[in-house]
Amino acid sequence: MSARIIDISREPDLALSEALTVLFAGQPIALPTETVYGLAADATNPAAITRIYETKGRPRFNPLICHMADLAMAERYGTFDPVSRRLAEAFWPGPLTLVVPLKRNSGIHSLATAGLDSVGIRVPRGFAGELIRRFDRPLAAPSANTSGRISPTSARHVAEDLGDRIALILDGGAAMVGVESTIVKVEDGRLRLLRPGGVAAEEIESLTGLYLERPVTAASGETSGEDGSEADIEARIEAPGMLSSHYAPKAGVRLNVENARPGEALILFGSRDVPGADKAAAVYNLSPSGDLGEAAARLFDLLHAADACGVDTIAVAPVPTEGLGEAINDRLERAGAPRP
Ligand code: AMP
Ligand code: MG
């Protein structure tokens, strides 16, 4: 199989009708969202969800985010407490996933939630939202890449990785946000961050007036007690004290470099120079002006590009940790973590 690629901006009606045909046939499609490209399928159809896991080689205990057209649709499937509803109203459509209790007999299949009694819900911007409105069923959609590899932010990234395993790729250009959604869960009136992402933690804190508790990751050697969060899953499946490898290029990754070594691919941030850059095999910059939004949008594309140089190591200069920098540093640490 070689995927058919349809350009949404050139053929929007064809993109919509072909996508619906493939989805109703119980097959996954790759589609653009503002975060990264997703591998989307009918969240109510177990065979369709199974194809997502198979296509990605993703472990089935890792739940999928269910994408909805709007908050009204989301409330058919999940129960929203006042804080979650406020967050939804403020940030949807957008790069925020809310983990809420799953409604009984909601129709979302347990394969999508990995058997949990909660569900991660997000409303994407643009074409994906429009498609879901027409489909009128939630789309389960993880990133459209082989599990553990770098997330795709363009149709070309998807085609190179999964092009011979899926029927249809919708091309919507470069992903605007470029990193996955921020995942938040309200629990006993506390607000917990399960994954940093495209909405900065500070924005969530200033909207709610609540402190956003950061995840206790496997890296710290503790378990969080969370039923099914990424941190907890990693804590269970990884050796204690090791950061789980994810978003991994083929090359090794060296972080917070102060000096580049000869032959490395070098990724800079802002105007600060790194000694040894002249001997690098290739030099990129996430954002010459030091804009974290631009850096997030370019992160995976530059990791893909640096990896394509065939270097042994990708060296990355320090990136500030505030705002979207939290998500950028999270992805970089996982890209650089020891491989299984
Ligand atoms: P992704 O890997 O981008 O597809 O995002 C999926 C992640 O969302 C999972 O690895 C979990 O961390 C999180 N997630 C999705 N559904 C749930 C849920 N019901 N409870 C806790 N975390 C969830
Ligand atoms: Mg992913």
Side-chain angles (χ1 to χ4, degrees), residues 22-45:
V22 178
L23 290 171
F24 277 119
Q27 298 288 339
I29 62 167
L31 87 174
T33 83
E34 74 275 46
T35 58
V36 302
Y37 275 67
L39 185 65
D42 183 351
T44 68
N45 177 342

Side-chain angles (χ1 to χ4, degrees), residues 230-270:
E230 202 160 316
D232 185 51
I233 289 161
E234 282 161 3
R236 273 190 273 124
I237 64 172
E238 299 293 327
M242 249 177 67
L243 250 191
S244 177
S245 173
H246 209 77
Y247 314 105
K250 296 189 179 76
V253 178
R254 223 160 55 80
L255 299 179
N256 298 314
V257 300
E258 302 292 345
N259 288 285
R261 298 173 190 157
E264 290 180 327
L266 177 63
I267 298 182
L268 300 171
F269 176 85

Side-chain angles (χ1 to χ4, degrees), residues 305-323:
D307 213 18
C309 295
V311 294
D312 291 334
T313 308
I314 301 170
V316 189
V319 177
T321 53
E322 79 269 7

Side-chain angles (χ1 to χ4, degrees), residues 58 62-63 65 99 116 118-120 142 183 194-195 226 228-230:
R58 176 174 170 119
N62 194 357
I65 293 170
V99 174
L116 299 170
S118 58
V119 57
I183 307 180
L194 302 185
R195 174 178 74 187
E226 158 63 24
S229 77
E230 202 160 316

Side-chain angles (χ1 to χ4, degrees), residues 183-253:
I183 307 180
V184 163
K185 184 178 186 182
V186 177
E187 218 170 25
D188 307 327
R190 289 157 59 200
L191 198 53
R192 298 184 45 213
L193 179 68
L194 302 185
R195 174 178 74 187
V199 174
E202 293 89 332
E203 281 188 74
I204 292 170
E205 291 181 325
S206 80
L207 181 92
T208 59
L210 295 171
Y211 172 68
L212 186 52
E213 295 175 27
R214 301 303 198 266
V216 181
T217 64
S220 67
E222 297 171 47
T223 54
S224 67
E226 158 63 24
D227 53 341
S229 77
E230 202 160 316
D232 185 51
I233 289 161
E234 282 161 3
R236 273 190 273 124
I237 64 172
E238 299 293 327
M242 249 177 67
L243 250 191
S244 177
S245 173
H246 209 77
Y247 314 105
K250 296 189 179 76
V253 178

Side-chain angles (χ1 to χ4, degrees), residues 90-316:
F91 294 108
W92 284 355
L96 177 71
T97 296
L98 295 164
V99 174
V100 295
L102 180 65
K103 281 198 169 157
R104 230 175 254 280
N105 303 320
S106 73
I108 290 181
H109 196 271
S110 60
L111 272 171
T113 57
L116 299 170
D117 53 13
S118 58
V119 57
I121 300 181
R122 176 169 107 77
V123 174
R125 287 184 201 141
F127 180 87
E130 188 51 38
L131 174 64
I132 298 163
R133 195 177 312 284
R134 290 282 298 276
F135 192 50
D136 199 31
R137 291 180 203 170
L139 289 182
S143 53
N145 55 279
T146 303
S147 190
R149 311 302 307 196
I150 308 171
S151 303
T153 53
S154 71
R156 185 175 56 78
H157 293 160
V158 180
E160 283 170 5
D161 186 359
L162 303 182
D164 57 357
R165 279 180 261 166
I166 56 178
L168 179 63
I169 300 172
L170 300 180
D171 184 351
M176 297 279 290
V177 176
V179 290
E180 292 80 355
S181 58
T182 302
I183 307 180
V184 163
K185 184 178 186 182
V186 177
E187 218 170 25
D188 307 327
R190 289 157 59 200
L191 198 53
R192 298 184 45 213
L193 179 68
L194 302 185
R195 174 178 74 187
V199 174
E202 293 89 332
E203 281 188 74
I204 292 170
E205 291 181 325
S206 80
L207 181 92
T208 59
L210 295 171
Y211 172 68
L212 186 52
E213 295 175 27
R214 301 303 198 266
V216 181
T217 64
S220 67
E222 297 171 47
T223 54
S224 67
E226 158 63 24
D227 53 341
S229 77
E230 202 160 316
D232 185 51
I233 289 161
E234 282 161 3
R236 273 190 273 124
I237 64 172
E238 299 293 327
M242 249 177 67
L243 250 191
S244 177
S245 173
H246 209 77
Y247 314 105
K250 296 189 179 76
V253 178
R254 223 160 55 80
L255 299 179
N256 298 314
V257 300
E258 302 292 345
N259 288 285
R261 298 173 190 157
E264 290 180 327
L266 177 63
I267 298 182
L268 300 171
F269 176 85
S271 55
R272 194 170 135 201
D273 207 14
V274 169
D278 52 320
K279 302 223 169 53
V283 182
Y284 307 92
N285 197 318
L286 287 165
S287 171
S289 66
D291 179 313
L292 287 166
E294 181 184 36
R298 302 190 63 198
L299 174 68
F300 289 130
D301 193 42
L302 292 194
L303 284 174
H304 277 282
D307 213 18
C309 295
V311 294
D312 291 334
T313 308
I314 301 170
V316 189

Side-chain angles (χ1 to χ4, degrees), residues 180 195-197 247 299-300 327-335:
E180 292 80 355
R195 174 178 74 187
Y247 314 105
L299 174 68
F300 289 130
I328 295 171
N329 279 287
D330 172 78
R331 305 304 186 271
L332 285 171
E333 279 161 26
R334 291 172 202 274

